[in-house]
Amino acid sequence: MLTAKKVERAKQPGRYHCGLIRGLYLQVTASGAKSWVLRYQLRGQERWMGLGSAADFSLREARERARAARQLLADRIDPLAGKRAAEEAAKLAEARKLTFREAAERYFNQHASKWRSAKHREAFLSTLKAHVFAVIGDMDVAAIDTRDVLRAIEPHWTTKAVTIDRTRNRIEQVLDWCVVRGHRPPGTNPARWKGHLDQVLPAPRKLAPVEHHAAMDYRQLPAFMTQVRADDNVAARALEFLIHTAARTGEALGACWSEIDLTDKTWTVPAARMKGGREHRVPLTKPVLDLLSKLPRQSGKSLGVYRPRWRWLEPFGLAMGHGSPRRKRCDDDPWFSFELLELVPRADGALSPHHRDQPGP
């Protein structure tokens, strides 16, 4: 039986039985290198399993490693197969290692087409760059936990509640993607709000209550519509069309004659122009049909007769409370060529349409 001294003195190439643990040997090569090996038999097959260098593991440690392998064999488990599986798992884990910054960029590239608004698309990465990447951008996504998420969002939670909550939601989306892609183990998403972060952070809407844009009292609408109809300009007709159809501004601006079926009395907005990405049919009432019949058209044109160049358009921007006019590019014939129209409060609190001089291109 080998002892620590005998292991140190062994020089002759060959295998030396260690004793105590069946099948454990000290192996000495022609070059003088010493290592521990375990000989075992499973399902009629003889195998040799390396247990490490004698320079790294003492005789006592080698016996402990051999005993652990024998315990697996007692349960008909091949320790060598388990060792190889562990090595492969380690290699796979290293290959799947991904930083949060890389994961966010991959998620963004795969989902960029889902944002219909360029502003929302750009905001996804810009908010992460501004508030998150400096904190957890270089961390392995598999290691990110609730404390890490809080380190990124909590410092700005009370001052930028709405923006940071949207950022939190983007963190949650990226980490969910990581789970599906195999870069992170399944389990509770550390950026989840309901039932998780809502236990430690105040609700963002309590910190920054929603402030709705000013709206016209419905009792003022009949008088206002009378004013709009009396105003003989294209912007007024467009506003009237929008009110009757309850359409979004962009849908009304992009409407073309090919979408209108005067016989069936319907306006079909194609999916490509709808925010929800689904075709939308709008029934046209008699006032709308009368309005359309008065709009000028040219034979052979699928759209209206107007073809403005770059122009300041305010298609109800101020009326809807969206702030200052925005520049809009018209690449095709629109129905309406708008002049600037704003609703100015009167002394009695009502809103009155008012025309302003149109800025230059």
Side-chain angles (χ1 to χ4, degrees), residues 10-75:
K11 305 293 183 182
Q12 187 68 25
R15 295 191 181 110
Y16 300 82
H17 189 263
C18 295
L20 296 182
I21 303 298
R22 181 164 53 93
L24 177 61
Y25 293 87
L26 171 67
Q27 180 175 264
V28 181
T29 65
S31 64
K34 301 176 184 178
S35 61
W36 305 105
V37 292
L38 178 68
R39 176 185 175 276
Y40 66 91
Q41 198 170 41
L42 182 65
R43 300 184 184 91
Q45 291 186 344
E46 181 184 78
R47 295 193 176 185
W48 290 86
M49 176 181 175
L51 296 177
S53 169
D56 297 328
F57 299 98
S58 66
L59 175 60
R60 180 179 177 181
E61 291 170 333
R63 283 171 174 160
E64 291 174 353
R65 290 166 69 84
R67 182 177 292 108
R70 282 291 174 189
Q71 289 171 342
L72 291 174
L73 287 167
D75 295 326

Side-chain angles (χ1 to χ4, degrees), residues 102-159:
E102 294 169 334
E105 290 171 350
R106 291 190 190 181
Y107 176 90
F108 176 80
N109 292 335
Q110 292 181 11
H111 294 82
S113 60
K114 80 176 184 179
W115 289 287
R116 298 175 64 87
S117 165
K119 178 182 177 181
H120 293 163
R121 183 167 56 250
E122 293 168 2
F124 185 89
L125 281 181
S126 65
T127 53
L128 293 178
K129 290 176 182 177
H131 305 292
V132 179
F133 286 171
V135 181
I136 62 173
D138 296 326
M139 287 187 64
D140 182 356
V141 293
I144 294 174
D145 58 18
T146 303
R147 289 173 298 179
D148 299 316
V149 174
L150 286 174
R151 283 193 299 116
I153 66 175
E154 197 167 16
H156 307 287
W157 188 261
T158 57
T159 57

Side-chain angles (χ1 to χ4, degrees), residues 33-297:
K34 301 176 184 178
S35 61
W36 305 105
V37 292
L38 178 68
R39 176 185 175 276
Y40 66 91
Q41 198 170 41
L42 182 65
R43 300 184 184 91
Q45 291 186 344
E46 181 184 78
R47 295 193 176 185
W48 290 86
M49 176 181 175
L51 296 177
S53 169
D56 297 328
F57 299 98
S58 66
L59 175 60
R60 180 179 177 181
E61 291 170 333
R63 283 171 174 160
E64 291 174 353
R65 290 166 69 84
R67 182 177 292 108
R70 282 291 174 189
Q71 289 171 342
L72 291 174
L73 287 167
D75 295 326
R76 308 293 291 172
I77 298 173
D78 189 345
L80 191 58
K83 179 182 178 182
R84 289 171 179 168
E87 291 175 351
E88 289 298 322
K91 290 179 182 178
L92 183 61
E94 185 63 27
R96 288 179 174 175
K97 189 175 181 180
L98 192 69
T99 67
F100 182 81
R101 188 192 312 272
E102 294 169 334
E105 290 171 350
R106 291 190 190 181
Y107 176 90
F108 176 80
N109 292 335
Q110 292 181 11
H111 294 82
S113 60
K114 80 176 184 179
W115 289 287
R116 298 175 64 87
S117 165
K119 178 182 177 181
H120 293 163
R121 183 167 56 250
E122 293 168 2
F124 185 89
L125 281 181
S126 65
T127 53
L128 293 178
K129 290 176 182 177
H131 305 292
V132 179
F133 286 171
V135 181
I136 62 173
D138 296 326
M139 287 187 64
D140 182 356
V141 293
I144 294 174
D145 58 18
T146 303
R147 289 173 298 179
D148 299 316
V149 174
L150 286 174
R151 283 193 299 116
I153 66 175
E154 197 167 16
H156 307 287
W157 188 261
T158 57
T159 57
K160 302 178 181 178
V162 175
T163 298
I164 300 302
D165 184 50
R166 290 171 181 166
T167 304
R168 175 208 59 77
N169 183 57
R170 288 160 189 155
I171 298 173
E172 182 179 6
Q173 292 173 6
V174 172
L175 294 181
D176 279 341
W177 176 88
C178 291
V179 172
V180 177
R181 289 291 183 179
H183 300 291
R184 181 180 171 84
T188 300
N189 190 316
R192 193 183 73 197
W193 175 253
K194 190 174 182 180
H196 191 61
L197 292 182
D198 63 348
Q199 303 301 306
V200 295
L201 294 174
R205 291 303 179 188
K206 289 187 177 180
L207 296 173
V210 176
E211 294 183 5
H212 296 289
H213 296 300
M216 177 182 289
D217 191 309
Y218 74 94
R219 288 167 292 191
Q220 297 177 342
L221 190 57
F224 175 71
M225 289 299 291
T226 300
Q227 288 181 280
V228 171
R229 293 191 183 103
D231 206 335
D232 187 18
N233 68 80
V234 182
R237 300 289 75 73
L239 180 54
E240 186 180 357
F241 177 81
L242 182 144
I243 292 173
H244 277 296
T245 58
R248 296 178 186 273
T249 306
E251 295 161 11
L253 289 180
C256 59
W257 290 110
S258 60
E259 298 173 358
I260 298 293
D261 187 337
L262 295 176
T263 303
D264 196 33
K265 300 179 182 179
T266 56
W267 170 32
T268 303
V269 187
R273 295 205 304 107
M274 290 296 297
K275 182 178 180 179
R278 296 177 60 184
E279 182 181 275
H280 180 56
R281 298 186 66 193
V282 182
L284 300 179
T285 60
K286 187 178 184 303
V288 180
L289 293 172
D290 292 342
L291 184 156
L292 294 175
S293 67
K294 297 173 184 176
L295 287 178
R297 297 177 59 178

